């Protein structure tokens, strides 16, 4: 850390007994005690203290606080050489959980204007208001790592994201799955004859699948998501793209009421318990969401309608789901595959040989299944 100069004084005082609002994506209880620390704290000392259960409220320089997070991360144990993809996955998840538990104990305080109690700190007020709304108490406390993620998300939201096939930019919100993987998005181009169709989009996220189908001529898309942040994100993006008159989104667990000509879903693809709110876009414990989607799909389709399921086979490659399991679920739910289209994974982790899961990710395939009732 840079200790060659004394950091400027904090912009506000945080009393030791101050009441505060606590924000944590993992729903961890608010700390009962905060230990103030500054730029004189070494990473080794910080690691010992957080492992004892302390929450360390950083009060020094913002850039030194970021360096402390990095130094702590480098001191954590890395997953060992695994004997199987499943063992590698388990070790990687444990390592990520340990990293989260450790780094989330370095916290910062914000005042009623969402100003950070650190010298050289950036303006975080807009990013905080986007996620939390207006403050309700004089002070807010948040893990620094989470706040840095919010700042990064605010920049994505400001700049927008190009998506293959989408006319216009997508503006993702914090906590909503970021569609930087293009393999599954590009598969929608294989869907024939969408003009004039009514669409249900189950688990819409940013709304990108609905928007792609609407721009190809679908008449109307009705979307759902169980996360309020995704609902707000999809609604805002529909406005930005000029599609609000043909798009509706609601907070709901699965299907909207009624029936649709096309029901599209890109469900979480890893059948493991989510550890926090953000995890729910990727992790689906015991495939509960996927099972219920397939069970309810026949009743959600109009006569002649079709389900569009987009799913990676990474769970099979990792040993989390047996080969043939998905086809068994189709049969159990009275569905048959009318057609399918697949793409190999092209995301960065599929090419990163240093990634602990590279052996599985390099073989990953994402498939779009065209599903219809088996009796048809």
């Amino acid at each position: 850390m840079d200790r060659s100069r004394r950091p400027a004084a904090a912009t506000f005082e945080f009393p030791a007994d101050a009441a505060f609002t606590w924000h944590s994506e993992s729903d961890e209880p608010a700390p009962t005690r905060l230990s103030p620390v500054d730029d004189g704290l070494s990473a080794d000392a910080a690691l010992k203290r957080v492992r004892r259960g302390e929450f360390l409220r950083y009060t020094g320089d913002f850039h030194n606080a970021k360096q402390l997070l990095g130094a702590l991360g480098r001191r954590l144990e890395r997953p060992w050489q695994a004997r199987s993809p499943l063992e590698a996955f388990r070790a990687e998840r444990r390592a990520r959980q340990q990293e989260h538990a450790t780094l989330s104990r370095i916290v910062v305080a914000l005042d009623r204007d969402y100003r950070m109690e650190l010298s050289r700190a950036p303006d975080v007020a807009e990013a905080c208001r986007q996620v939390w709304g207006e403050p309700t108490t004089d002070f807010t406390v948040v893990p620094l790592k989470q706040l840095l993620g919010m700042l990064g998300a605010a920049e994505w939201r400001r700049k927008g994201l190009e998506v293959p096939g989408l006319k216009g930019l997508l503006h993702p919100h914090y906590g909503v799955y970021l569609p930087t993987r293009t393999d599954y998005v590009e598969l929608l181009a294989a869907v024939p004859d969408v003009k004039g169709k009514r669409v249900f989009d189950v688990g819409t996220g940013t709304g990108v699948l609905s928007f792609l189908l609407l721009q190809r001529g679908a008449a109307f898309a009705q979307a759902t998501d169980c996360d309020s942040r995704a609902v707000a994100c999809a609604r805002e993006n529909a406005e930005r793209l000029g599609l609000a008159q043909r798009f509706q989104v609601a907070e709901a667990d699965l299907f909207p009421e009624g029936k649709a000509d096309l029901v599209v879903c890109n469900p979480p693809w890893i059948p493991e318990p989510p550890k926090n709110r953000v995890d729910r876009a990727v992790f689906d414990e015991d495939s509960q969401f996927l099972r219920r989607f397939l069970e309810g799909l026949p009743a959600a389709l109009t006569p002649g309608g079709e389900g569009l399921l987009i799913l990676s086979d990474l769970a099979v490659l990792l040993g989390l789901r047996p080969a043939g399991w998905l086809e068994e679920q189709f049969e159990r739910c009275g569905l048959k595959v009318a057609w399918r289209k697949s793409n190999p994974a092209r995301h960065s982790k599929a090419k990163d040989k240093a990634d602990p899961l590279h052996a599985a990710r390099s073989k990953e395939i994402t498939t779009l299944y065209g599903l219809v009732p088996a009796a048809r």
Side-chain angles (χ1 to χ4, degrees):
M1 283 185 228
D2 176 13
R3 301 190 183 93
S4 60
R5 65 175 186 82
R6 296 181 63 84
T11 56
F12 64 91
E13 291 296 325
F14 182 88
D17 59 349
F20 57 85
T21 298
W22 167 248
H23 285 291
S24 171
E25 285 296 305
S26 59
D27 295 326
E28 187 172 23
T32 56
R33 181 173 178 273
L34 300 173
S35 303
V37 297
D38 58 21
D39 300 333
L41 180 70
S42 70
D44 289 332
L47 187 59
K48 290 179 182 178
R49 293 177 67 173
V50 299
R51 282 178 169 169
R52 291 199 300 261
E54 283 190 72
F55 281 84
L56 308 181
R57 176 175 63 88
Y58 209 90
T59 63
D61 177 80
F62 173 74
H63 298 281
N64 286 348
K66 287 176 61 179
Q67 288 182 37
L68 176 64
L69 282 183
L72 283 175
R74 290 190 294 273
R75 281 162 172 76
L76 299 178
E77 294 180 6
R78 299 268 71 91
W80 64 87
Q81 189 68 33
R83 292 169 294 182
S84 69
L86 181 57
E87 190 177 271
F89 171 79
R90 299 285 188 219
E92 179 70 6
R93 273 214 100 184
R94 285 194 297 270
R96 292 290 158 261
Q97 191 172 1
Q98 180 193 37
E99 179 183 59
H100 171 79
T102 301
L103 301 188
S104 65
R105 289 183 176 269
I106 307 298
V107 304
V108 292
L110 313 173
D111 70 4
R112 185 170 277 276
D113 295 317
Y114 286 140
R115 291 179 301 172
M116 202 185 312
E117 186 198 17
L118 300 177
S119 61
R120 292 201 297 168
D123 185 349
V124 301
E126 181 180 1
C128 292
R129 287 189 171 90
Q130 286 176 352
V131 178
W132 303 326
E134 293 297 327
T136 56
T137 56
D138 287 339
F139 300 104
T140 297
V141 174
V142 60
L144 176 59
K145 183 174 175 60
Q146 178 180 326
L147 187 59
L148 293 175
M150 290 165 55
L151 284 173
E155 186 64 11
W156 276 111
R157 183 170 176 174
R158 183 187 67 80
K159 294 193 310 184
L161 176 70
E162 290 187 7
V163 176
L166 186 70
K167 299 171 186 175
L169 296 177
L170 195 70
H171 294 264
H173 292 193
Y174 175 76
V176 181
Y177 181 71
L178 189 65
T180 51
R181 287 182 55 157
T182 61
D183 41 1
Y184 76 91
V185 172
E186 292 169 0
L187 287 169
L188 274 192
V191 181
D193 190 25
V194 303
K195 290 187 178 180
K197 298 290 180 68
R198 178 178 177 82
V199 175
F200 284 172
D201 181 1
V202 179
T204 192
T206 60
V208 63
L209 301 183
S210 285
F211 306 146
L212 287 164
L213 292 171
L214 288 170
Q215 289 184 347
R216 288 189 55 201
F220 190 83
Q222 193 167 356
T224 61
D225 203 288
C226 64
D227 195 305
S228 58
R229 294 190 296 206
V231 171
C233 178
R235 186 174 290 128
E236 179 186 302
N237 276 293
E239 292 281 354
R240 287 177 177 269
L241 294 168
L243 298 171
Q245 297 303 311
R246 295 191 289 139
F247 178 80
Q248 187 178 68
V249 62
E251 187 173 344
D253 184 33
L254 274 170
F255 300 93
E257 293 185 3
K259 296 178 183 288
D261 306 308
L262 295 173
V263 179
V264 62
C265 182
N266 176 216
W269 57 93
I270 300 295
E272 290 280 297
K275 301 295 186 184
N276 52 55
R277 185 174 176 179
V278 176
D279 266 4
R280 292 187 301 181
V282 176
F283 294 90
D284 175 22
E285 185 173 7
D286 195 31
S287 304
Q288 293 177 30
F289 180 92
L290 177 55
R291 291 173 192 266
R292 291 187 298 117
F293 171 77
L294 294 174
E295 289 164 357
L297 179 58
L301 293 171
T302 58
E306 190 171 61
L308 303 174
L309 174 68
I310 305 174
L311 193 65
S312 158
D313 67 349
L314 185 60
V316 175
L317 295 170
L318 291 173
L320 295 167
R321 185 181 285 153
W325 178 90
L326 185 61
E327 288 71 19
E328 291 175 0
Q329 297 305 308
F330 293 159
E331 183 177 356
R332 180 181 69 84
C333 297
L335 296 164
K336 67 178 181 180
V337 179
W339 58 274
R340 71 182 71 195
K341 172 76 173 177
S342 298
N343 274 348
R346 294 190 294 273
H347 54 85
S348 59
K349 288 187 176 180
K351 304 172 184 176
D352 182 6
K353 294 183 179 180
D355 187 289
L357 305 182
H358 176 261
R361 283 176 168 149
S362 63
K363 301 173 185 175
E364 184 182 1
I365 299 291
T366 300
T367 300
L368 169 58
Y369 298 90
L371 301 173
V372 297
R376 187 180 302 174

